[in-house]
Amino acid sequence: FQEELYRRIFFQQAFAGYVKEVTERVLAGAEDERLVYRKRLRRKLADYQRNVPPHVQAARLCGERGLPVPARGDWIEYVITTSGPEPATQARAPLDYQHYVDRQLAPVADGILGFVGSSFRALTDKQIGLF
């Protein structure tokens, strides 16, 4: 998303439709396979006591769901669902698409759209501005 958006802006090509299209595809569930986070466990699962990061939360669910329990140094693939982080291979709750829009697409887009007099919200918000 970032590479294509930047390419379009730098080459002065239309970008508003692209931003809307990608956002709509994410919200419609058409990009599910691309919404997987991947992170390495830096410590043993038991060592995470406070502020348990999402990849650790997903790793802890692996044992409960009959998947191999990840060890220190293993990579965890997880998704964010409406019930929180879950292993990518066995997510039971629906994906939280708004999380991906708010935490992945919007920050990337807003990083450059301000320079061209726009914003992610201005392009994707369904409400009409009064002023």
Side-chain angles (χ1 to χ4, degrees):
F1 174 71
Q2 183 178 33
E3 288 176 7
E4 179 61 18
L5 177 60
Y6 278 46
R7 186 190 69 72
R8 287 174 183 241
I9 289 174
F10 289 141
F11 288 105
Q12 299 177 351
Q13 296 175 340
F15 59 85
Y18 174 71
V19 172
K20 290 177 191 176
E21 177 188 340
V22 171
T23 303
E24 289 169 4
R25 288 181 55 76
V26 168
L27 291 171
E31 298 291 339
D32 287 3
E33 69 281 350
R34 300 176 77 188
L35 302 181
V36 177
Y37 290 109
R38 188 170 188 259
K39 184 136 176 144
R40 187 185 298 269
L41 276 177
R42 303 218 183 269
R43 298 182 267 171
K44 296 177 190 173
L45 283 178
D47 291 346
Y48 291 95
Q49 296 298 321
R50 292 185 185 177
N51 300 327
V52 180
H55 68 292
V56 175
Q57 294 174 38
R60 288 182 175 165
L61 288 174
C62 288
E64 297 174 20
R65 297 188 179 175
L67 299 170
V69 178
R72 181 179 181 262
D74 288 347
W75 287 95
I76 308 301
E77 290 188 346
Y78 67 99
V79 291
I80 302 297
T81 70
T82 56
S83 295
E86 297 190 36
T89 57
Q90 285 208 359
R92 294 182 181 164
L95 293 182
D96 184 353
Y97 296 117
Q98 196 60 50
H99 162 86
Y100 290 97
V101 169
D102 295 343
R103 301 287 177 100
Q104 297 297 318
L105 298 181
V108 165
D110 283 336
I112 194 166
L113 290 176
F115 294 106
V116 294
S118 189
S119 72
F120 183 79
R121 185 173 178 187
L123 296 177
T124 60
D125 202 355
K126 302 230 186 279
Q127 289 187 331
I128 298 170
L130 296 176
F131 304 101

